Amino acid sequence: MVGGVVLFGLKFMAIGSTAYTWLEDALETIQRAHWYRHPQIITQGPGPKIELEGQRLINFASNDYLGLASHPHLKTAATKAIAEWGTGSTGSRLLSGHRQFHEQLEQAIAQWKGTEAALVFSSGYLANLGTITALVGKRDLILADEYNHSSLKRGAQLSGAKVINYDHGCPEVLTDLLVQHRDHHRRCLILSDGVFSMDGDLCPLPQLVPIAERFESMLLVDDAHGTGTMGKTGTGCREHFQLPVGDWIQVGTLSKALGSLGGYVAGSTALIDFLRNRAATWIYTTGLSPADTAAALAAIELIQREPERVAQLQHNVDYLAKGLERLVKSNFRRSPSNAPILWVGAANPANALEMAKYLRDQGIFAPAIRPPTVPHSRLRFSVMATHSPGHIDQLLEALNRYYLHQSPP
Ligand SMILES: *Cc1c(COP(=O)(O)O)cnc(C)c1O
């Protein structure tokens, strides 16, 4: 036992130990497993080039897929909103924090996504927590892709529903589980990432939609990485698969390709109306700030007006994927989707760290992704529309040197 002994049923603290001593032990364990992480200060950016601890690096670690976080149109919109409305929304949306610009943004999202309505949350994480816990409870069933984002997993746990994971991207296993379990529960909710955030592959949306219908289940797809990146005009995975809008629930973030901060849910009028009345992470929190709201609205306008940004991003993804295919065949599996997340495998967490360090010494910023975030360690690359061919070539050349340096992959 840690930090004390038990005698005659009474616990005595070891000398010098407090109720918080276990924190240091836990950190030590994390360190030993090479799982320890800490944030690093970026001193210049955002953009395809950043400065990190005095070093200029080409950035392959950003979610700013379209380069909008530094776009003058968004900056102007945000500063204008601050000048007019101040820095805070000053209250929750149902009390005193609701403004015209919130409605404008929600209408713009709904129109862009082709749904009846939309609702914005303070983050994508909170959109998932609030929506899942509002839609299902103890008598209900959740079927979730095993690789889902933390916000879907935590939302499922918090809801109190029975949660069963299905094999990643596998509609057959999902169907079998529904045959076995669906009838024993009141409501059912299927949860999946649209673009999987660590793997960059897509959910089998064309199969998930009819499965949900067949088993009278709700379907929630979290398109955090697909929003602004997938489909011809960047509206997301639905457009990529050329599916009709349907009544399933589309969640996403304003914080990645849209260059702002916040999350959204898009769907039917009834769904959105219900969430306004039941989603605790929307009701009991302050409305999105004027600057964040205005920036997100400006981003959606810009993407609609200049869809060539999305095309440029997809072109860059293709360019990097082809380069990786040539270079590291055995450790790289290309997903057919052109999603802006690519990765190469590493043998173990220490090896992933070593690769990341090598690349960094070569002027490339690409993060090592390790357990518990993913089951298998890897080096992950996020592509931006604002990467030049030269930036991507430098990544490929640095990786090439790494593999020449090492025993072959
Ligand atoms: C990033 C991400 C989120 C969280 O979005 P935030 O707006 O950053 O809170 C949710 N789901 C997925 C799949 C993500 O990748």
Side-chain angles (χ1 to χ4, degrees), residues 63 123-126 128 149 151 193 195 197 222 224-225 253-256 262-263:
N63 293 325
S123 77
Y125 207 108
L126 291 170
N128 279 328
H149 187 261
S151 54
D193 282 22
V195 176
S197 51
D222 176 0
H225 292 277
T253 182
L254 311 174
S255 329
K256 288 174 177 146

Side-chain angles (χ1 to χ4, degrees), residues 7 29 57 131 136 165-166 235 249 294 306 323 326 347 364 379 386:
L7 274 179
T29 308
L57 298 167
T131 303
V136 290
N165 287 336
Y166 60 88
T235 63
I249 302 158
E306 300 174 10
R326 279 196 306 274
I364 303 286
L379 209 60
T386 44

Side-chain angles (χ1 to χ4, degrees), residues 32-68:
R32 266 201 308 276
H34 296 284
W35 284 16
Y36 182 75
R37 301 189 282 188
H38 66 100
Q40 296 166 296
I41 295 178
I42 288 175
T43 45
Q44 221 182 62
K49 286 193 117 176
I50 51 163
E51 192 179 290
L52 185 64
E53 288 161 357
Q55 196 189 357
R56 292 287 285 166
L57 298 167
I58 303 169
N59 186 8
F60 287 96
S62 177
N63 293 325
D64 183 20
Y65 296 116
L66 298 174
L68 297 187

Side-chain angles (χ1 to χ4, degrees), residues 39-218:
Q40 296 166 296
I41 295 178
I42 288 175
T43 45
Q44 221 182 62
K49 286 193 117 176
I50 51 163
E51 192 179 290
L52 185 64
E53 288 161 357
Q55 196 189 357
R56 292 287 285 166
L57 298 167
I58 303 169
N59 186 8
F60 287 96
S62 177
N63 293 325
D64 183 20
Y65 296 116
L66 298 174
L68 297 187
S70 54
H71 194 284
H73 186 57
L74 276 74
K75 288 191 198 174
T76 307
T79 43
K80 252 183 79 182
I82 290 174
E84 196 169 341
W85 295 100
T87 48
S89 282
T90 72
S92 66
R93 295 275 300 276
L94 290 176
L95 289 180
S96 60
H98 184 54
R99 308 276 182 274
Q100 186 68 36
F101 50 74
H102 291 127
E103 296 227 344
Q104 280 171 348
L105 176 58
E106 285 165 349
Q107 277 164 15
I109 292 168
Q111 184 255 327
W112 191 45
K113 304 288 287 185
T115 57
E116 286 174 4
L119 191 65
V120 294
F121 289 70
S122 303
S123 77
Y125 207 108
L126 291 170
N128 279 328
L129 291 192
T131 303
I132 296 166
T133 53
L135 293 178
V136 290
K138 279 203 290 290
R139 295 158 65 193
D140 305 320
L141 175 66
I142 286 179
L143 287 163
D145 189 292
E146 61 178 334
Y147 283 10
N148 276 348
H149 187 261
S150 160
S151 54
L152 292 174
K153 292 194 161 152
R154 290 291 156 125
Q157 276 172 1
L158 270 177
S159 74
K162 180 174 175 65
V163 183
I164 306 176
N165 287 336
Y166 60 88
D167 295 6
H168 174 54
C170 190
E172 294 78 19
V173 173
L174 171 62
T175 304
D176 287 349
L177 289 167
L178 281 163
V179 168
Q180 271 178 58
H181 297 276
R182 174 66 187 96
D183 283 349
H184 308 306
H185 299 270
R186 180 183 60 167
R187 300 181 198 135
C188 177
L189 175 64
I190 300 168
L191 295 177
S192 182
D193 282 22
V195 176
F196 283 85
S197 51
M198 292 300 136
D199 292 78
D201 56 344
L202 302 193
C203 74
L205 193 56
Q207 284 84 43
L208 295 185
V209 172
I211 290 173
E213 269 166 28
R214 176 180 157 201
F215 290 93
E216 207 181 301
S217 297
M218 299 176 280

